[in-house]
Amino acid sequence: CTVYLGDNLLQLFSVGQILNCIYFCTGLILILPCIDVFVKVDLRTVTCNIPPQEILTRDSVTTQVDGVVYYRIYSAVSAVANVNDVHQATFLLAQTTLRNVLGTRTLSQILAGREEIAHSIQTLLDDATELWGIRVARVEIKDVRIPVQLQRSMAAEAEATREARAKVLAAEGEMNASKALKSASMVLAESPAALQLRYLQTLATVATEKNSTIVFPLPINMLEGIDGITYDNHKKVPNRA
């Protein structure tokens, strides 16, 4: 006989047999000694805290994972008649299922796919506890602990990956800058006056930084021209010796 008392439920047995009757009662319930036995069943959602489980992942990494399972009893008859201790059985099954599921995943999959793993564990638990009158509402993975040495190795690997990516980006920037300089040089080569204006603009930019020494770059062709003029003048001077 099933008696509903708010959030709780009393499952009555008479001479070892389940009575097929249902009562909604808020008063006194008569139990015959040595004949009737009652079992109190809580219909509210139960929180099952899974302690940290040491797991060897598929890529041979030792890690500790803990989680939490939320479930409720929807069939009091199945929860009382089909299993001795429904809460203890659900607790042990949750631990075993957590180890079995995570043992088939790599560490990167565990760290990146917590929601998918939690959904898989929830589906397996719900199917296994259906005969016990249990409905699993939610499964969450709380924390994933990995060894300190592995944390340092992962940090070094991530840093090396970032440095490699930064070097690639810098090289791409240099290549784009060289292409732009090549295009600019072709444009300036078509107009010598533009090159001279660019030269003067560069000098003005350097002068605004309050430098004590300014180096003036001179084109080589200008130096060759000055050298030619000096040589011609030297030839025009007569040798008085």
Side-chain angles (χ1 to χ4, degrees):
C1 180
T2 303
V3 181
Y4 290 94
L5 299 174
D7 293 330
N8 297 322
L9 181 146
L10 296 181
Q11 186 65 49
L12 302 183
F13 296 84
S14 180
V15 197
Q17 295 182 354
I18 299 176
L19 300 179
N20 295 324
C21 59
I22 299 177
Y23 294 106
F24 292 89
C25 180
T26 57
L28 297 177
I29 302 173
L30 180 61
I31 303 296
L32 298 179
C34 303
I35 297 177
D36 296 337
V37 178
F38 74 92
V39 178
K40 183 180 178 181
V41 180
D42 194 348
L43 300 180
R44 295 174 297 180
T45 300
V46 180
T47 302
C48 177
N49 189 17
I50 303 176
Q53 303 293 312
E54 189 170 355
I55 299 168
L56 183 64
T57 61
R58 194 174 66 182
D59 51 351
S60 302
V61 177
T62 303
T63 179
Q64 289 186 351
V65 183
D66 56 353
V68 60
V69 179
Y70 301 93
Y71 67 91
R72 59 182 297 271
I73 298 175
Y74 71 92
S75 176
V77 176
S78 300
V80 174
N82 294 342
V83 63
N84 183 20
D85 189 346
V86 63
H87 298 291
Q88 181 68 13
T90 305
F91 175 70
L92 296 177
L93 181 62
Q95 296 184 37
T96 306
T97 305
L98 179 65
R99 289 196 297 267
N100 292 339
V101 171
L102 295 183
T104 60
R105 308 294 178 93
T106 62
L107 180 61
S108 59
Q109 291 175 347
I110 295 175
L111 296 176
R114 292 192 180 188
E115 294 183 0
E116 181 184 356
I117 295 174
H119 183 69
S120 301
I121 296 175
Q122 178 182 349
T123 303
L124 294 175
L125 284 177
D126 204 12
D127 295 339
T129 57
E130 184 178 1
L131 296 177
W132 302 343
I134 296 293
R135 180 172 289 113
V136 180
R138 190 177 182 87
V139 176
E140 291 291 341
I141 296 177
K142 294 196 299 184
D143 192 14
V144 179
R145 301 182 181 90
I146 57 178
V148 179
Q149 182 103 15
L150 183 58
Q151 293 180 13
R152 295 175 181 173
S153 301
M154 293 175 64
E157 181 182 0
E159 184 178 358
T161 303
R162 288 193 297 269
E163 290 181 356
R165 190 181 299 113
K167 291 180 179 180
V168 171
L169 293 176
E172 291 179 354
E174 291 290 339
M175 183 178 63
N176 295 332
S178 63
K179 291 180 180 180
L181 289 175
K182 179 182 178 181
S183 301
S185 64
M186 294 175 63
V187 173
L188 292 175
E190 297 176 355
S191 177
L195 179 59
Q196 187 67 21
L197 291 175
R198 179 59 182 166
Y199 172 68
L200 295 176
Q201 183 182 4
T202 303
L203 289 179
T205 304
V206 173
T208 56
E209 296 182 359
K210 298 180 180 180
N211 295 325
S212 58
T213 303
I214 299 178
V215 179
F216 293 93
L218 295 177
I220 297 179
N221 54 0
M222 184 182 296
L223 295 177
E224 291 178 352
I226 296 174
D227 189 18
I229 295 172
T230 306
Y231 178 75
D232 293 339
N233 294 333
H234 181 71
K235 288 176 62 177
K236 292 179 180 180
V237 176
N239 190 0
R240 296 182 180 179

